[in-house]
């Protein structure tokens, strides 16, 4: 990210996440699994997640982030539900 967004980004990542140490400690940097997707499904609809991602879309574009799989699943479920309602 530092190459793409400059030294300030590199310094911020280092200060907040101790990124270089974490990468050295974990040769396969896969992140941490949490129950966050399950909690999102419990409290939000596909429609509300779509609105949130629309609001945050510039971040996903600028940082070249994929839409999370759990969000795509929620969109698909919402589309199926709407198709059943309107057909």
């Amino acid at each position: 990210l530092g190459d793409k967004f400059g030294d300030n980004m590199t310094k911020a990542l280092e200060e907040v996440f101790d990124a270089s140490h974490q990468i050295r400690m974990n040769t396969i940097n896969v992140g941490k699994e949490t129950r966050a997707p399950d909690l999102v499904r419990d409290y939000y609809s596909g429609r509300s997640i779509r609105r949130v991602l629309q609001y945050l879309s510039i971040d996903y574009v600028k940082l070249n982030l994929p839409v999370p799989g759990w969000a795509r699943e929620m969109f698909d479920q919402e589309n199926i539900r709407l198709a059943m309602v309107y057909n």
Side-chain angles (χ1 to χ4, degrees):
L1 287 175
D3 293 340
K4 192 170 185 177
F5 297 103
D7 288 338
N8 287 338
M9 175 65 88
T10 301
K11 289 176 189 172
L13 289 170
E14 197 59 40
E15 287 175 18
V16 174
F17 299 106
D18 192 18
S20 61
H21 174 75
Q22 294 297 326
I23 290 170
R24 281 193 309 274
M25 295 297 293
N26 185 3
T27 57
I28 301 173
N29 191 6
V30 295
K32 297 185 181 196
E33 290 295 319
T34 67
R35 284 197 54 239
D38 292 334
L39 296 174
V40 170
R41 285 184 194 102
D42 289 346
Y43 293 101
Y44 299 96
S45 68
R47 182 178 177 195
S48 61
I49 294 301
R50 188 180 308 275
R51 297 288 307 265
V52 168
L53 289 176
Q54 286 172 341
Y55 181 76
L56 297 173
S57 63
I58 190 69
D59 295 338
Y60 281 84
V61 171
K62 285 287 197 184
L63 297 173
N64 198 29
L65 299 172
V67 173
W70 56 263
R72 286 193 307 272
E73 287 174 20
M74 289 182 73
F75 299 155
D76 291 344
Q77 290 171 358
E78 184 73 8
N79 289 338
I80 290 168
R81 186 188 70 75
L82 289 173
M84 292 171 69
V85 169
Y86 293 109
N87 285 333

